[in-house]
Amino acid sequence: MMAIRGSTSWGTGLLVAAIVLLVTAASTSALEEDGNETVVYGDGWKNCSEGLMLPLWQPQKNLTTGDRVARAIVYFVIMLWMFIGVSIASDRFMGSIEMITSSEKEVTIKKPNGEKQIIIVNVWNETVANLTLMALGSSAPEILLSVIEIYAKNFESGDLGPGTIVGSAAFNLFVIIAICVYVIPDGEVRYIKHLRVFFITSFFSVIAYVWLYLILSEISYGIVEFWEAFVTLLMFPIFVILAYIADRRLLFYKYMSKEYRLNKRGIIIEVEGGPSVELGKKDAGVTYEGEVDESVRQFEEHRKEYMSIIRELRGKHPDIPMESLEAMAREEIINRGPKSRAFYRIQATRKLTGGSNVMKKFKDDVTEHKGDIEQETVDKDLIRVCFDPGHYTVMENVGTFDVTVAREGGDPNTMILVDYKTEDGTANAGGDYLSAEGTLVFLPGETSKSFKLEVIDDDVFEEDEHFYVRLSNIRTGSPDGIAQNGTAGKGPVRMELSAPFVATIMILDDDHGGIFNVGEKDIEIVETIGIYEMKITRYSGARGRVSVPYHTEDGTGKAGKDYEAVKGELIFENNETEQIIEIPIMEEDSYEKDVLFYLDIDEPVSMGGFGFESKDGEEMTEDEKIALLGKPKLGNAARAQIRVKENKEYKNMVDKLFQRANASIMVGSSSWKDQFLEAFKVESGGDDDEVGEDGEPVPPKLPSCGDYVMHFITVLWKIIFSLIPPTGFYNGYPAFALSIAGVGLVTAIIGDIASHVGCTIGLKDSITAICIVALGTSVPDTFASMVAAQQDPYADASVGNVTGSNAVNVFLGIGIAWTLAAVVHYFRGDQFEVLPGNLAFSVTLFCVEAVVAIAIMMMRRHPKIGGELGGPRGPKVATSCFLFFLWLFYVVLSTFEAYGFIPGMSTAPPEE
């Protein structure tokens, strides 16, 4: 990834330089020398005008070639720096958009069985968010440049704004998609999931530019009337509404579901399909009453995924606190889940500028949170002493056995003393065990001590018995003597007896076959438990090998639906007192659950047998009667009732994850302090979660020299835009307003510099827009789409959003600018003139190539390739090269047409 990032950066820079040299050479060939002053046909050095924000660099006359080259270099370097500034401003803008579009709300829905359920859904539909605020965020410089240019030219037409929009569309559709196709590993593919929406955005991305050609060259040649400009602007809400209808399957989609497949000749055809069909990919929907079926389906899918992640983490870390588990689950969900367009754009900008890594910052926050939890739950200065373990089960014939006491925490060099003493329970000292008492001494460095207890064996049948051992009087053993309340003479030493400080010793009779019971009669478990381990116990004896049959029985819970039925027998070996029955619990898709079933154990059978069990009591000898008293028996607790419910704790955690597990918590900020700290922070631009050859994570790399250089170049912009309110304030709306104002201010300066560069070297504004400005504003989107293509399981975030942005650029950038100009000219009493010229030629050329490119992407869905991105190496490389050629062909032909090397659109109205 780093290699790709570096090579792409150098490749883009060299490509820009080559194109600038090409178009400069083309423009120079159109110049003629006239004394000491150079004259340019059309736009040129004589036509230079003051900028909206920046004045011209004086003097303008009698400049040598060296002067012009030097000025061009200075302008070019400043413009690159301004491009960086507008990218950082867009970083803040996209962060506010992510905060706004990630807003959620609670919705009460009604299930088919009449029950009501509260679910959490996004306020913003994903498609609407991507085509409105997200598209505005990534295309804000191009859109604002077009509007600002109209204002700067006193509401007369210009070439820079429209040229940047068309040039950016060509770069996005051809170059960005070419890179996304190539960076997918060989053999892997990414296909567009929401194909209906992609068809809508692709259609409008072509129609938008066809419409531009019609209003420039056919409907009213060279004149943009108010209705034409207003229809251009009106297409934006129409475009968004149609995409929303396609996404939600409203209107005719509600009655006619379609799926798309390839026929025998490899051509895509449309056929009748079932619900939630997307190019043959079917999702089992959840049917509810109301108009939130899709939201409910997504809610259920996310809930199921979140619960799966929680179970997985709980299995790996069974003793972790719930707060830490929630933090880890949130991190895992963010890592696995698809990211928004804003996330990839911000991540790309910060990597390019040596800024803070979004994912690393999020993980550091999670780690800090887990550290805070651990600090709250563990006091490292407190010495704790307890039994380990706190319960012992021994046979009557065990003789002596060890009891262990453990010490943890505090200063290990402190000597600790603690007393122990046995206490009677149902077992009596002297008859069943030997009493014991004493003092344990933990020398410096010792963490555990043991002492011995002894059990007395007899030949009398008796119930299981128990007694206790208690710890007391914990103290230090310092040279200054024993201090009261755990305080040494030289200073306080904090210590305590922690649970369990009383150990229970259970004595099992070894002269009886035993009585068998279920461990618990009434059990409540959660459906997420996976495998429930039912304990079967043996007490009042443990002699001989015994078989215990068992089986499950349905209640309101049904075998095969709520649990898997089990049946068999347990074999208790001699002196064995516990066995486990594993019962698989099945998880349903329902959010709430409360069912029960039963597990029964049957009469135990001695594996050795007695041989005289069938005799009458009078026929048995006295020895046989005594022996029969030791026969294994079934106890009173032979049936367990198992209730399966949803996990309330997990359910609450999942509800929290719905609110917190989104990218807004990573790209957003909560305080000005955090923003300024990030502005001065330098981090490596490398990939997240890199792994070595052995599969182990590689430690984070230190910032490179290049990272420090980029940080030094961009630190002023970072500080300036840190003044924008944090996105956590008022749900991001103040940051939205001020950041778009910042983007507009920097874009206005870029527009002036671009015009001055063209004026200095004789480059037309239309070509400056295509070759320089369009590339400069599209570089962050290039890296964002490249990372999205690699990390997302689908191509929507990288390919689908390109076509949507291209349409939005025209509808908003051209629509707003030309509507304002048409209104102003109407009140002036004249007409808004926009000669077709190079714009009409570029639009026509782009439309033709766009249709070809989209057709190629659809052809790649053939089973031999499988998706828009990636695939076998041969087709992948061929597709990337061809798309790149389309862009190069577009730039070269547009340049030649602008300077008259090839015929183009006439600049005069056709003769009647």
Side-chain angles (χ1 to χ4, degrees), residues 129 132 184 323 382 690 716 760 783 802 842 883 894:
T132 54
I184 304 300
E323 295 86 352
L382 180 64
E690 294 185 11
L716 180 59
T760 301
F783 289 103
V802 167
S842 297
L883 291 175
S894 296

Side-chain angles (χ1 to χ4, degrees), residues 405-421:
V405 178
R407 162 197 171 161
E408 62 181 15
D411 184 2
N413 294 319
T414 302
M415 185 189 306
I416 298 297
L417 289 80
V418 63
D419 298 338
Y420 68 90
K421 184 178 181 180

Side-chain angles (χ1 to χ4, degrees), residues 141-202:
E142 295 94 327
I143 295 172
L144 291 175
L145 181 61
S146 179
V147 176
I148 291 170
E149 184 188 34
I150 284 288
Y151 174 79
K153 291 184 176 293
N154 195 24
F155 296 97
E156 300 295 340
S157 65
D159 293 329
L160 193 63
T164 298
I165 288 177
V166 181
S168 177
F171 186 87
N172 291 345
L173 186 60
F174 304 138
V175 177
I176 290 182
I177 293 182
I179 293 174
C180 291
V181 170
Y182 182 78
V183 297
I184 304 300
D186 294 346
E188 294 185 16
V189 293
R190 306 283 191 274
Y191 64 87
I192 295 174
K193 182 180 181 182
H194 302 289
L195 194 63
R196 298 184 306 276
V197 177
F198 177 73
F199 284 160
I200 296 292
T201 58
S202 298

Side-chain angles (χ1 to χ4, degrees), residues 349-356 681-683 707 710-711 718:
T349 300
R350 295 189 182 182
K351 282 187 175 183
L352 291 173
T353 59
S356 60
K681 186 182 297 183
V682 187
E683 291 187 4
D707 293 323
M710 288 303 300
H711 175 72
K718 294 177 182 178

Side-chain angles (χ1 to χ4, degrees), residues 734-810:
F736 178 89
L738 292 180
S739 56
I740 197 172
V743 172
L745 180 64
V746 180
T747 300
I749 299 175
I750 290 177
D752 289 348
I753 295 175
S755 295
H756 295 345
V757 168
C759 178
T760 301
I761 63 177
L763 197 63
K764 292 190 174 185
D765 280 351
S766 59
I767 306 305
T768 303
I770 292 174
C771 299
I772 301 177
V773 182
L775 269 67
T777 56
S778 299
V779 168
D781 283 327
T782 303
F783 289 103
S785 295
M786 182 176 66
V787 175
Q790 293 175 312
Q791 297 184 0
D792 264 18
Y794 302 104
D796 298 73
S798 51
V799 174
N801 287 329
V802 167
T803 54
S805 292
N806 287 351
V808 171
N809 283 355
V810 174

